[in-house]
Amino acid sequence: MAARSDDAVVLEVGGHEVRVSHPDRVVFPEPGLTKRDLVRYYLAVADGALRGAGGRPMVLKRFVKGIGAEPFFQKRVPENHPAFIDTATLHYARGTSAEETVVRDAAGLAWVVNLGCLDLNPHPVRAEDLAHPDELRVDLDPMPGVDWSQIVDVAMVARDVLEDHGLVGWPKTSGSRGIHLLVRIEPHWDFREVRLAAEALAREVERRAPGLASARWWKEERGESVFVDFNQNAKDRTVASAYSVRPLPDARVSTPLDWDEVRSRRPEEFTVSTVLERFGDRGDPHAGIDDAVGSLDGLLRLAEELGPAEKAPRGASRGDGSGRRVSTMPLIEVARTETKPEALDALERWKAANAVVVPHLTPSDVLVDGMRGSSSLWYRVRVNLQHVPDADRPEQGPLVADYDPWAGRGAPGADAPSRGDGA
């Protein structure tokens, strides 16, 4: 390890030199983790991290201002990337394209961490075949008010559905509140077919676990359930992969589990320090995932049996020609903000001004959504008044905060929650 005058260090990793700037900068104040610590972590778990993210194009989610600020999303690989970083050009439905980063070795992991990436966000395709995913992703995303035992119950049902259709689910904590199930599949189906298979899976889980699980895409219609997020299989979606460090104060890690651990362990147990010890003691529970490749034929037959999914109502009644969906729920919008703390502050101000409403609200009636902007998240706050008596329901008024994420950039095609982190 050699030092430079700007306090950078140069690491020798697998025959490559990786420069790490400001290695002693504290990234996670609570456990006192520096950038150097994060690089060392990823090098120690490289075998598992590369099993999840290696060889796949990834979006760089860069926390250049620390975990207390919003990251920005960088699809295009930096122009001055080293020779050991591969690239792949992805084409998007809007007609745009991006030459994205492909990490193939431990040096690549160290390099992206130096850029400010905490978690790894790969696409479900290999760089050698960008049209056919080799991974189906099941994101079990709990609504507010849902406890861990309910998430586990839904995970067990999802495992059964997968097994009934010839597939193996490999569980991991999302690193936040939910569970991810990763399913290796043969790269024979396009994104539309993979998403259809995932939607059929979600609908079947909802059928087998009514009230516990939901396949409803619109958040206000789910109640206190676990959303089986099939849309993570859309072409433009990424999720935090195995061994990703999440931007929570305790440096929590998205951690692969054995099925016999799922009910007894909790996400908060898995942090950078504990995962380092766990990985050293037992290795990667997902070591066999690439040998468990399955077919989507069973789930696609299920999709045919279930028939077309119910389409969400759209904006014909709005009368403005936008084509945007009009909810069947009595929703009001409270705020649009640049950051989550601003969103939560706006929500509290709205509650103070509408105190008569607050006792009627359940946790799932308050909707705080991270939305994808041009290169970063912004936040939308809505309240579902379904449990509020008609006489006490406030009308839609001016927003408490009205941030415009598209100012100077042109309007987006549609507002959609950014689910790139997996809840």
Side-chain angles (χ1 to χ4, degrees):
M1 181 183 293
R4 292 190 178 182
S5 59
D6 63 356
D7 89 349
V9 296
V10 177
L11 306 180
E12 291 285 344
V13 183
H16 302 295
E17 289 190 347
V18 183
R19 183 175 181 270
V20 179
S21 61
H22 309 296
D24 297 321
R25 176 182 293 163
V26 176
V27 181
F28 288 91
E30 187 174 289
L33 293 175
T34 64
K35 183 192 279 192
R36 189 198 309 262
D37 293 326
L38 292 175
V39 171
R40 287 173 173 168
Y41 161 80
Y42 273 108
L43 294 181
V45 301
D47 177 63
L50 290 170
R51 188 170 288 113
R56 302 177 183 278
M58 68 168 62
V59 174
L60 301 177
K61 184 180 175 185
R62 301 179 63 180
F63 290 84
V64 296
K65 296 182 180 179
I67 63 171
E70 294 296 327
F72 74 89
F73 296 89
Q74 182 174 342
K75 289 183 176 180
R76 291 174 175 79
V77 64
E79 291 184 3
N80 59 344
H81 61 274
F84 57 81
I85 293 295
D86 280 350
T87 65
T89 301
L90 276 70
H91 297 272
Y92 293 93
R94 296 185 299 274
T96 60
S97 64
E99 186 180 9
E100 297 193 9
T101 299
V102 178
V103 167
R104 295 196 182 273
D105 54 23
L109 294 175
W111 182 77
V112 298
V113 173
N114 182 57
L115 293 179
C117 298
L118 301 181
D119 46 21
L120 310 175
N121 290 270
H123 292 272
V125 293
R126 305 283 180 175
E128 293 75 20
D129 185 354
L130 301 176
H132 301 98
D134 73 329
E135 185 171 86
L136 182 147
R137 296 167 173 177
V138 183
D139 180 6
L140 303 180
D141 184 10
M143 289 291 289
V146 171
D147 63 24
W148 182 251
S149 63
Q150 182 174 334
I151 303 168
V152 171
D153 288 342
V154 174
M156 297 301 181
V157 174
R159 179 184 66 170
D160 292 344
V161 174
L162 289 168
E163 290 180 349
D164 290 347
H165 295 86
L167 295 167
V168 179
W170 298 76
K172 71 180 182 72
T173 64
S174 70
S176 181
R177 296 181 60 238
I179 291 176
H180 294 162
L181 305 183
L182 306 178
V183 184
R184 287 290 195 266
I185 58 174
E186 299 167 355
H188 294 166
W189 296 273
D190 62 23
F191 279 92
R192 182 193 65 80
E193 292 167 313
V194 174
R195 183 182 182 279
L196 177 63
E199 184 177 24
L201 166 71
R203 293 171 67 190
E204 179 63 11
V205 172
E206 181 184 54
R207 188 189 70 80
R208 296 188 189 187
L212 296 180
S214 175
R216 295 179 178 271
W217 175 241
W218 303 109
K219 192 172 183 180
E220 66 270 17
E221 297 175 358
R222 297 176 200 157
E224 292 187 2
S225 67
V226 176
F227 176 43
V228 186
D229 189 353
F230 56 88
N231 212 49
Q232 296 293 20
N233 296 278
K235 186 175 183 179
D236 62 343
R237 296 301 176 93
T238 63
V239 297
S241 58
Y243 297 99
S244 286
V245 182
R246 307 311 304 277
L248 297 175
D250 58 359
R252 199 170 299 184
V253 172
S254 179
T255 306
L257 304 175
D258 288 325
W259 274 108
D260 60 8
E261 297 181 287
V262 171
R263 193 170 294 281
S264 61
R265 306 301 297 268
R266 295 293 186 274
E268 60 269 20
E269 297 178 51
F270 302 107
T271 64
V272 165
S273 61
T274 62
V275 170
L276 278 172
E277 182 178 357
R278 171 184 168 90
F279 195 88
D281 289 344
R282 60 168 298 173
D284 183 12
H286 286 192
I289 191 171
D290 290 320
D291 299 322
V293 179
S295 168
L296 285 186
D297 287 343
L299 285 180
L300 291 174
R301 283 194 298 269
L302 176 63
E304 291 183 3
E305 294 168 6
L306 294 175
E310 181 181 357
K311 299 297 183 183
R314 298 190 69 83
S317 62
R318 177 173 286 188
D320 63 1
S322 68
R324 292 184 180 177
R325 173 183 177 275
V326 175
S327 178
T328 59
M329 293 290 181
L331 289 174
I332 62 171
E333 188 170 11
V334 171
R336 299 185 177 198
T337 66
E338 187 174 8
T339 68
K340 190 169 185 178
E342 291 172 332
L344 297 177
D345 176 71
L347 174 62
E348 291 306 313
R349 284 188 282 153
W350 182 88
K351 286 182 176 180
N354 295 274
V356 68
V357 172
V358 175
H360 300 288
L361 300 178
T362 69
S364 62
D365 288 335
V366 178
L367 310 173
V368 181
D369 298 320
M371 313 290 288
R372 180 65 63 86
S374 60
S375 62
S376 61
L377 295 182
W378 58 279
Y379 291 85
R380 179 177 64 181
V381 182
R382 296 173 298 159
V383 175
N384 189 346
L385 302 175
Q386 61 179 327
H387 297 117
V388 180
D390 289 349
D392 293 333
R393 290 180 180 177
E395 298 290 336
Q396 176 68 60
L399 299 183
V400 176
D402 194 4
Y403 170 70
D404 181 2
W406 308 104
R409 299 183 179 94
D415 289 342
S418 171
R419 301 292 310 144
D421 61 348

